[in-house]
Amino acid sequence: MAPRYAPSLWSRLPPVALLLEVIFIVLFAFFVEIEELKDKKNQEFLYFYAIFQDVHVMVFLGFGFVSAFLVRYGFSGVGFGLLVAAMVVQWATFINAFLPSFYFSHFNWPVHINLNSLAEAELCAASALVAMGAVHGKTNPTQLLLFGLLEVTGFVVTQKLMDTLFKLTTLFYQSGRIYATMQMYVFGALFGVMTSWVLYRSDAEPRHEKEKFDSKTGLFAMLGLLFLWMFWPSMNFMQVKDIRVVYSTYLAQAVSAVTAMAVSVLSSPKGKINLVHVQGASLAGGVAIGAARTVHDPWVAMVIGMCAGLLSALGYRYMKDHMLFAFECHDTCSVLSVYAIPGILGTFGHLILQLTSTDDLTIAIRFAVHFICVVFISISMSLVTGSITGFLLKLKFWKPQQDRKCFDDQAFWEFPHLAVHK
């Protein structure tokens, strides 16, 4: 019996991946230099490098293993995450350095990169991996490379656009900094969901036969969750640069983890804990605090964490099936529940905290209007760019796998012990 899987990726992955690498090498050769490290910055570098390492572990290990929960998609969950993140980091490093010069007409070539440039690129990679969760198992690696590059381009352009439009008009710029954290979570999640909506296969079953997990893959995913859970305060600190966000993130995540388990039991017909629900909802507190940014009181952080865990767990339980039924949108990893809802919750929490901290009604109104514009533009950009990406990935040129080959490693990876000998 002949195998039902594509014989190779020769005509798709190697040409695209190698061509992109050649382009990146040429761009870095002519336009990028590494910034010299002065003696007085050595101590600062070593301090910041420790935080960078935490985020590095999150991106390549945490997000990788947390995506390995599907019973027949473990290799791809970890391997494709590495592939996309490694490619996206290069592109994000360049585009983050290039766009400020492009916007402000400061064409000082070559542009210089440093550890902060790599840290920003890692955060862009995290945004792409968040978005990947929505199309997890339904795309081939070539599609994922294009998906990651377009997501990061849209994310960086939106962030720089916000800086250009609102930096000089808001009195809260230092505290809000254009909500880059909210954009990372919400932009990535909505981008991925819109792409998944466009790529929806009408002939696919409501729930794919391979879209399930077992004890081994669940344990690997739990390992990834623990890495993300432990190092999430470092990711928030890298963006906010305020030590108070570390305390707030830790407390919020602790509350959201407990809340997630309690809600999982309450919403279960058998009164048992669902491991998948806990894996996603336990991170909701850290996502919400990252978007809320300025939380000074520990009890406020804990309330935000409880609300985020509650909404995320309920979303995990009910939203995925309803989205599939009502909108024909399949969200594999429920990124709406894990990142978008907590991110929006934290963003509005930031608005409330900022408005209650001022007695000037005029300033409060100006900030509220500014806030609404930022959120509206960010969400609109994610929906538009996600839709465009979906239509590009839907082209037959990319040779998407058939429905029966979704969520299956055998379409892409070698399994010598399963080879058919003629």
Side-chain angles (χ1 to χ4, degrees):
M1 179 179 178
R4 296 183 299 173
Y5 300 96
S8 72
L9 294 171
W10 284 347
S11 63
R12 291 167 286 172
L13 183 59
V16 173
L18 295 178
L19 177 62
L20 288 173
E21 285 298 345
V22 170
I23 293 174
F24 291 163
I25 289 173
V26 172
L27 290 176
F28 275 72
F30 287 96
F31 302 116
V32 179
E33 284 186 357
I34 296 177
E35 184 179 75
E36 295 184 6
L37 185 65
K38 299 180 180 179
D39 293 336
K40 64 180 181 180
K41 293 187 177 181
N42 282 335
Q43 186 175 359
E44 180 182 348
F45 172 85
L46 294 176
Y47 169 76
F48 191 67
Y49 185 72
I51 305 296
F52 168 77
Q53 280 287 75
D54 290 349
V55 178
H56 199 59
V57 171
M58 291 178 64
V59 170
F60 288 95
L61 196 154
F63 280 106
F65 276 106
V66 84
S67 300
F69 67 96
L70 293 177
V71 65
R72 301 187 64 176
Y73 206 67
F75 284 18
S76 301
V78 178
F80 293 163
L82 170 63
L83 173 68
V84 173
M87 183 68 74
V88 160
V89 163
Q90 301 170 63
W91 175 236
T93 301
F94 176 80
I95 195 172
N96 270 320
F98 169 76
L99 279 182
S101 297
F102 178 79
Y103 274 131
F104 300 109
S105 300
H106 296 160
F107 293 99
N108 298 320
W109 305 109
V111 296
H112 292 82
I113 62 172
N114 50 31
L115 187 60
N116 187 62
S117 303
L118 297 182
E120 291 183 358
E122 293 275 6
L123 297 178
C124 293
S127 178
L129 295 178
V130 166
M132 272 181 59
V135 298
H136 189 61
K138 299 169 291 188
T139 47
N140 61 44
T142 311
Q143 289 175 304
L144 288 177
L145 283 179
L146 179 62
F147 174 87
L149 294 175
L150 291 175
E151 195 279 339
V152 165
T153 303
F155 170 68
V156 174
V157 168
T158 302
Q159 186 173 341
K160 301 302 181 183
L161 180 64
M162 294 297 139
D163 287 342
T164 304
L165 293 177
F166 296 106
K167 180 177 181 179
L168 300 178
T169 62
T170 176
L171 300 179
F172 292 95
Y173 178 75
Q174 293 298 327
S175 61
R177 203 191 172 276
I178 312 305
Y179 313 101
T181 315
M182 179 272 291
Q183 291 179 23
M184 187 182 78
Y185 302 136
V186 178
F187 184 97
L190 295 180
F191 181 98
V193 168
M194 287 303 298
T195 304
S196 181
W197 176 69
V198 175
L199 293 176
Y200 178 76
R201 303 162 186 253
S202 58
D203 296 332
E205 299 179 2
R207 183 170 180 85
H208 201 281
E209 59 180 355
K210 300 171 186 175
E211 195 182 352
K212 54 186 177 181
F213 70 98
D214 61 9
S215 58
K216 292 183 180 179
T217 57
L219 185 60
F220 278 117
M222 197 67 185
L223 175 65
L225 164 70
L226 292 176
F227 275 101
L228 291 176
W229 198 90
M230 289 188 299
F231 293 124
W232 208 277
S234 297
M235 177 176 283
N236 286 345
F237 176 75
M238 180 175 286
Q239 299 170 89
V240 180
K241 303 296 192 301
D242 188 340
I243 193 64
R244 291 173 294 187
V245 79
V246 175
Y247 310 139
S248 300
T249 303
Y250 182 85
L251 291 173
Q253 285 192 151
V255 175
S256 66
V258 175
T259 303
M261 291 197 180
V263 174
S264 181
V265 172
L266 290 174
S267 60
S268 171
K270 298 182 180 180
K272 295 184 179 180
I273 301 172
N274 188 303
L275 183 62
V276 176
H277 300 171
V278 173
Q279 287 171 354
S282 296
L283 299 174
V287 174
I289 291 298
R293 305 181 68 86
T294 53
V295 180
H296 301 158
D297 299 319
W299 70 269
V300 175
M302 296 171 75
V303 169
I304 292 176
M306 175 175 285
C307 295
L310 175 65
L311 294 176
S312 183
L314 290 176
Y316 243 112
R317 175 68 73 177
Y318 302 110
M319 182 177 291
K320 181 176 180 179
D321 293 337
H322 285 79
M323 288 284 293
L324 183 60
F325 175 77
F327 303 104
E328 294 187 339
C329 179
H330 183 268
D331 182 3
T332 306
C333 297
S334 295
V335 295
L336 276 179
S337 302
V338 181
Y339 302 102
I341 293 177
I344 293 173
L345 172 68
T347 304
F348 278 93
H350 174 71
L351 171 63
I352 294 172
L353 292 173
Q354 290 291 347
L355 293 181
T356 56
S357 65
T358 179
D359 297 327
D360 192 321
L361 181 60
T362 302
I363 294 179
I365 293 176
R366 289 181 61 188
F367 178 74
V369 172
H370 156 80
F371 171 89
I372 293 172
C373 292
V374 168
V375 174
F376 176 78
I377 293 175
S378 181
I379 292 178
S380 299
M381 287 288 291
S382 64
L383 297 179
V384 172
T385 53
S387 300
I388 294 174
T389 301
F391 285 112
L392 290 176
L393 298 185
K394 204 170 185 177
L395 299 175
K396 296 298 182 181
F397 174 80
W398 305 110
K399 297 182 180 180
Q401 66 267 43
Q402 300 177 6
D403 293 337
R404 68 174 184 269
K405 300 174 185 177
C406 293
F407 312 106
D408 200 324
D409 285 330
Q410 283 186 265
F412 311 109
W413 300 85
E414 288 186 357
F415 286 85
H417 63 289
L418 299 178
V420 178
H421 300 282
K422 296 183 179 179

